Amino acid sequence: MKDEKGSLYIIEAILAITILLIAILVVNTVISIPSPDYSYEAHDSKSAQDMMEILSGKINFTDRTFLGEISTILKEHKNSKKSIREVSDICQNKFDSFKFTNYKFCENNKLKGKVLAYNGNYDNANKFTVATRTYGDYSYTLYVW
């Protein structure tokens, strides 16, 4: 019997493609590539850097930054004790809002390492991360452990 319309060849081609796809799917499911185990230490090591990026980033899509605001307060009041206390309160409230439990935030240049915000026991820290940002004449360092 002669197949003049070619329907037999079409059916054979569809069957061959179906068998080929099934074979590929079986091979794909048999070969399992193990997913890599990601280390969470890399995430922890970035926490100080991430926090400093937040502090140096724009506030509410304006040109103001948190580091800019505290630097302006210190500069306008010529680093007086009152301005340092005000900035310390602002910093403490900011870090408390982020719910950080172990940190130390200080200014290194103008205030000679004065601690502006602190929480936790630094003496018992066995592993910590450090980030530094500069705004104008002020250089801020954040320690997180």
Side-chain angles (χ1 to χ4, degrees):
M1 175 165 134
K2 231 177 183 184
D3 184 20
E4 294 179 11
K5 295 181 183 177
S7 59
L8 188 62
Y9 292 113
I10 293 174
I11 292 172
E12 286 179 353
I14 291 174
L15 279 171
I17 291 173
T18 305
I19 291 172
L20 184 64
L21 287 175
I22 290 173
I24 290 172
L25 288 174
V26 167
V27 169
N28 193 24
T29 56
V30 169
I31 299 173
S32 64
I33 300 173
S35 62
D37 293 330
Y38 295 107
S39 172
Y40 291 103
E41 291 179 23
H43 176 70
D44 292 340
S45 68
K46 294 180 184 174
S47 59
Q49 292 290 340
D50 293 341
M51 180 53 67
M52 281 304 260
E53 286 297 318
I54 291 170
L55 296 176
S56 60
K58 306 277 184 193
I59 300 173
N60 297 331
F61 303 106
T62 62
D63 288 336
R64 297 179 8 234
T65 65
F66 178 78
L67 295 180
E69 284 187 10
I70 62 175
S71 298
T72 302
I73 292 170
L74 291 170
K75 187 174 184 177
E76 286 178 353
H77 294 61
K78 296 179 174 52
N79 302 328
S80 67
K81 289 184 179 182
K82 181 181 177 189
S83 66
I84 293 172
R85 274 193 303 270
E86 180 182 350
V87 166
S88 292
D89 290 340
I90 292 170
C91 291
Q92 194 71 42
N93 291 336
K94 185 73 163 180
F95 287 112
D96 287 346
S97 71
F98 291 129
K99 296 184 179 23
F100 262 158
T101 54
N102 298 312
Y103 61 88
K104 180 170 122 177
F105 183 68
C106 55
E107 198 288 323
N108 300 317
N109 192 24
K110 291 288 190 173
L111 303 179
K112 309 284 190 252
K114 176 75 175 164
V115 176
L116 299 174
Y118 183 86
N119 192 20
N121 190 354
Y122 187 74
D123 296 332
N124 294 337
N126 59 357
K127 189 164 86 173
F128 58 93
T129 60
V130 180
T132 301
R133 294 290 184 279
T134 301
Y135 190 90
D137 293 335
Y138 296 93
S139 177
Y140 300 99
T141 301
L142 174 66
Y143 303 88
V144 177
W145 63 93

